[in-house]
Amino acid sequence: MPLLDSYDIIFAGGGTVACIIAGRLARADPSLSILIIEAGPHSFNLHHHVQPARYLYSLGQGHTFSKHTSVQSEVLGGRSVCVPSASCVGGGSAVNFLLYARPPASDYDDWENLGNIGWGAESLIPLSKKIENYQIPSCRPSVHGFTGPIRVSHGGCDTNIGKEFLETAAQYDRDRKMSTSVDLNDFKKINVYGPWHKYIDSQTGKRSDTAHHFLYNLHNFDLDPESSNHKVHVLTKRRVVRVIFQNKRAVGVEYVAREDFDNGKPQVQPRIAYASRLVVLSSGAFGSPAILERSGIGSTLHLSQVDVRQIVDLPGVGENYNDHNIGFTPYLASEDSDCLDGIFSGEDKAIEPYLKEWEAQGSGLLAHSSIDAGVKLRPTPEELEELGPDFKQVWDEFYAGAPDKPVAVLFATAGDFMNYDAPSASLKKFGMACFTAYPRAVGYTHITSASNPWAPLRFDPKYLSHPADVAVLRWCYKRGRELARRMSSYRGEIAAGHPKFCSSPPGSDLGKSLKAGIPASVVSSTSGPVAIDTPDIVYSEEDDKAIDDHLRATVGTTWHSLGTCAMKPREAGGGVDSRLNVYGVVNLKVADLSIAPLNVGANTNNTALTIGEKAFLLVAEDLGISSDSGQR
Ligand SMILES: Cc1cc2nc3c(=O)[nH]c(=O)nc-3n(C[C@H](O)[C@H](O)[C@H](O)COP(=O)(O)OP(=O)(O)OC[C@H]3O[C@@H](n4cnc5c(N)ncnc54)[C@H](O)[C@@H]3O)c2cc1C
């Protein structure tokens, strides 16, 4: 069935969520004609998608990403930050760092409490089980699924960095537990160090994404929409400009290819595809609000600034931008450490040693994400003191009554994500990565052009503009550092990736004033770790300031953008109702992470997968299709 002008359903965006809904709909009702218009290329069987450990190299190359540069931020010292979002079929699920993480159950209950009936934990946890094929032995069946399409395993091997992180935590952090068999993703566990699993198929060692497990495996699916025998067509490398309405009823979309544009101006007429039953915006937290604004749905102020005629006044569109704020800290590692820096470089000669094992058995470092172990942290009463008054107020208002919510998530990384230079080629690198689970600062994203979907967005994530967000990352830096310097692989710190401390070595006046504690100064090299019972480093006020300055100079995205077409009441700034219908028009839904009304305390892919399953049920119900037949 070659390309048509008219379809039953059109998806604007072919990312994580879209592939789930389209794949399930196509199975539920094979007579449905579906068009997916995706900004990026296909990802089918390409090694930079399916071989897990290549993700960091792909991010550096940028071919399957859109980069969003923020306005300059005063609190970040005038710095702009760059937040890439996925741009390929499969979206984030096809390019992300593969970490399997589920939020605390109370996050979904918070969504429901905003008036979104059917979006609480009781409704969503079964969907999170439905989508997964959990391949970890000895788990609690009640919270996991074993027959869904998305594979979850520990990956191709256990790194010694991950093991040491857990061993060190067990001995050093007496306030928390450690267990090598704990399930950290049971929707409630916090303050236990344990293994961290990944979206990797344990049998093949391949990435488990929604493009391969929902779309590319449809019977008779063809990458070329012109020669396809299937009724699901995917048009790649095109962007949806706007939704076409007739009397506020969505009847199709206008789309363009990049080459149709020159100097920001269309050189050829944009094309239109019609949808007789439904248009679904699934373009992610940057893409979906931008399409709505170009379609005339948004705030009067923002639309008038770009000369778009308003058809629905919806001030919440593009607001409520949420992400997590991350800090990566690099350490030197012993020669025998299992680190992924070589693979991260993307060089064939560095990948070659791992290729055969991956091809033959689906195992080894190529079937890895570099993260084996982590912890969802909540502070003890003493640590709460240390976090200070800015955070205490947030604690009282937000965390104290929600015992399953972590304040931050801390991982050890078997490799250095920031690629700092090591002083000696014989040394390897590992890292500590920590992100704030619920940053208080919330940003925005708005269009700057009425018609050019490649024009930069006016965007500010507002990182660290709330003092509590700085306090959490400062605390995490110190915690990660204490753990790192006790790990057997530790060989020192890479100064360029640490704060510029002013404390002097012990013996100096300042050292004495620190009550003979260990001063904060960076240890550039050492022959090994400190003993477990070594006193903690003592930080002066100046040292804390140095950490804060460092955080402001380096804090970045966790690639977890969400919330910009929030599912909440219209008068509270909502973009969609709890059936995902855009307010003020008909036949138009948004289905992706932009609908999340509040942040979640975890990496966000699992929430996107769950939204995909929920959205499928809603769409199927609206279209009168039995959702049972969409199961496999
Ligand atoms: C680098 C990176 C690392 C990450 N690591 C992890 C991790 O380890 N674990 C985890 O749980 N989560 C991780 N995430 C987050 C997670 O992958 C995302 O939250 C999730 O995939 C978002 O799903 P979505 O469907 O909302 O959007 P996406 O999957 O981003 O899909 C949106 C799609 O819409 C397309 N699009 C945008 N605008 C248009 C337009 N105008 N017309 C047509 N198409 C358009 C885009 O090209 C994209 O393919 C990571 C994300 C990234 C980017």
Side-chain angles (χ1 to χ4, degrees):
M1 193 182 84
L3 266 177
L4 307 171
D5 289 332
S6 180
Y7 290 80
D8 291 316
I9 305 172
I10 295 179
F11 287 86
T16 309
V17 172
C19 290
I20 298 171
I21 312 172
R24 287 229 186 262
L25 282 174
R27 288 173 176 87
D29 181 353
S31 74
L32 278 179
S33 59
I34 299 175
L35 176 67
I36 299 173
I37 302 173
E38 163 53 44
H42 273 294
S43 53
F44 183 62
N45 270 348
L46 298 174
H47 66 236
H48 54 279
H49 293 288
V50 298
Q51 293 175 1
R54 292 200 189 239
Y55 64 88
L56 204 59
Y57 180 68
S58 301
L59 180 59
Q61 294 299 295
H63 302 314
T64 50
F65 292 88
S66 298
K67 293 185 177 167
H68 311 284
T69 303
S70 75
V71 299
Q72 291 178 331
S73 159
E74 256 179 55
V75 292
L76 303 185
R79 193 163 67 94
S80 294
V81 288
C82 174
V83 177
S85 63
S87 189
C88 63
V89 177
S93 74
V95 298
N96 68 24
F97 294 9
L98 306 112
L99 274 179
Y100 171 74
R102 288 153 134 199
S106 69
D107 286 356
Y108 292 148
D109 289 338
D110 293 346
W111 292 14
E112 186 157 55
N113 291 338
L114 292 172
N116 299 309
I117 305 305
W119 287 87
E122 199 180 311
S123 310
L124 295 189
I125 288 176
L127 298 178
S128 177
K129 288 170 66 176
K130 173 183 166 189
I131 202 164
E132 71 180 18
N133 179 341
Y134 196 71
Q135 300 175 323
I136 314 291
S138 73
C139 70
R140 270 178 57 215
S142 61
V143 288
H144 290 288
F146 303 92
T147 54
I150 297 295
R151 276 72 165 166
V152 177
S153 76
H154 196 60
C157 61
D158 236 342
T159 62
N160 50 12
I161 294 289
K163 283 188 204 149
E164 285 172 24
F165 174 78
L166 292 182
E167 285 159 12
T168 306
Q171 295 175 64
Y172 168 71
D173 190 348
R174 300 285 163 77
D175 295 318
R176 296 179 177 81
K177 297 189 185 118
M178 188 288 279
S179 162
T180 52
S181 58
V182 67
D183 178 4
L184 295 182
N185 284 298
D186 62 356
F187 297 102
K188 59 180 180 199
K189 197 86 73 283
I190 47 114
N191 274 345
V192 184
Y193 292 84
W196 215 287
H197 308 310
K198 306 156 191 86
Y199 293 105
I200 296 177
D201 185 336
S202 64
Q203 250 104 65
T204 62
K206 290 184 181 173
R207 171 191 289 274
S208 197
D209 61 67
T210 63
H212 287 82
H213 291 292
F214 283 92
L215 198 64
Y216 293 142
N217 58 356
L218 282 170
H219 183 58
N220 274 344
F221 180 82
D222 200 313
L223 296 183
D224 179 358
E226 288 291 359
S227 61
S228 181
N229 285 325
H230 205 281
K231 297 195 81 172
V232 178
H233 287 167
V234 182
L235 274 178
T236 55
K237 301 184 188 169
R238 271 101 165 163
R239 283 199 176 191
V240 169
V241 181
R242 62 172 69 90
V243 180
I244 308 289
F245 293 99
Q246 272 172 8
N247 299 326
K248 297 205 177 170
R249 178 189 177 83
V251 293
V253 298
E254 187 183 292
Y255 65 94
V256 283
R258 191 158 201 159
E259 51 274 21
D260 299 348
F261 265 73
D262 195 18
N263 281 331
K265 299 242 159 34
Q267 300 300 296
V268 292
Q269 277 292 96
R271 273 142 285 188
I272 291 179
Y274 289 98
S276 58
R277 301 179 74 180
L278 187 65
V279 174
V280 182
L281 306 188
S282 211
S283 290
F286 291 103
S288 290
I291 296 174
L292 284 178
E293 290 189 334
R294 288 192 296 267
S295 309
I297 302 177
S299 90
T300 312
L301 174 71
H302 297 310
L303 298 191
S304 64
Q305 281 171 346
V306 283
D307 280 336
V308 172
R309 190 177 67 84
Q310 188 182 55
I311 62 165
V312 183
D313 182 11
L314 222 47
V317 170
E319 297 295 314
N320 191 45
Y321 175 90
N322 279 265
D323 188 357
H324 299 123
N325 306 169
I326 204 161
F328 291 105
T329 320
Y331 298 92
L332 295 167
S334 57
E335 257 176 88
D336 60 351
S337 301
D338 304 318
C339 293
L340 274 75
D341 291 301
I343 300 178
F344 287 166
S345 76
E347 287 168 21
D348 287 343
K349 68 173 190 319
I351 292 170
E352 173 77 40
Y354 307 103
L355 207 49
K356 270 208 180 101
E357 181 183 352
W358 182 82
E359 283 167 343
Q361 294 147 44
S363 57
L365 278 189
L366 203 47
H368 208 284
S369 68
S370 87
I371 296 171
D372 278 331
V375 60
K376 296 177 179 177
L377 290 169
R378 255 174 98 85
T380 61
E382 297 74 45
E383 289 168 339
L384 198 51
E385 283 292 307
E386 184 191 332
L387 274 153
D390 292 329
F391 180 76
K392 178 69 172 51
Q393 195 182 344
V394 174
W395 174 265
D396 291 342
E397 288 166 10
F398 179 72
Y399 290 100
D404 61 350
K405 290 197 201 297
V407 165
V409 182
L410 173 70
F411 305 103
T413 64
D416 165 23
F417 280 40
M418 306 311 286
N419 198 19
Y420 287 104
D421 284 336
S424 147
S426 68
L427 287 174
K428 292 187 174 167
K429 294 178 287 177
F430 72 100
M432 288 289 159
C434 193
F435 67 79
T436 40
Y438 306 90
R440 294 294 86 195
V442 164
Y444 63 81
T445 167
H446 294 290
I447 54 169
T448 60
S449 162
S451 56
N452 181 358
W454 283 277
L457 297 167
R458 188 166 53 79
F459 152 64
D460 190 349
K462 300 270 185 187
Y463 296 150
L464 302 189
S465 41
H466 193 295
D469 299 344
V470 184
V472 172
L473 281 187
R474 187 194 313 127
W475 174 62
C476 290
Y477 169 78
K478 294 176 184 175
R479 293 216 62 76
R481 200 174 179 210
E482 293 299 347
L483 288 164
R485 68 198 194 104
R486 289 169 171 80
M487 286 166 53
S488 348
S489 295
Y490 174 84
R491 293 293 180 273
E493 301 176 327
I494 301 180
H498 285 258
K500 292 183 179 49
F501 293 116
C502 49
S503 4
S504 342
S508 71
D509 284 351
L510 183 59
K512 279 180 202 145
S513 76
L514 293 174
K515 297 194 192 110
I518 314 267
S521 18
V522 167
V523 177
S524 299
S525 80
T526 170
S527 55
V530 300
I532 290 285
D533 58 0
T534 304
D536 281 359
I537 294 167
V538 177
Y539 295 88
S540 65
E541 262 178 44
E542 286 81 2
D543 291 331
D544 279 357
K545 186 175 172 308
I547 298 176
D548 295 356
D549 289 348
H550 175 74
L551 291 171
R552 292 183 194 286
T554 58
V555 70
T557 177
T558 315
W559 306 276
H560 295 164
S561 308
L562 59 83
T564 48
C565 301
M567 175 178 63
K568 54 185 175 181
R570 189 171 175 173
E571 58 283 6
V576 295
D577 65 20
S578 55
R579 294 195 68 80
L580 305 182
N581 296 316
V582 176
Y583 290 116
V585 292
V586 293
N587 260 21
L588 180 63
K589 286 190 193 291
V590 178
D592 54 36
L593 261 186
S594 70
I595 65 105
L598 298 167
N599 212 337
V600 289
N603 310 59
T604 47
N605 196 49
N606 205 265
T607 299
L609 299 177
T610 307
I611 290 173
E613 290 288 14
K614 178 74 182 177
F616 160 66
L617 296 179
L618 295 173
V619 172
E621 201 171 65
D622 282 6
L623 299 183
I625 296 167
S626 160
S627 51
D628 292 345
S629 40
Q631 325 299 330
R632 296 173 306 157

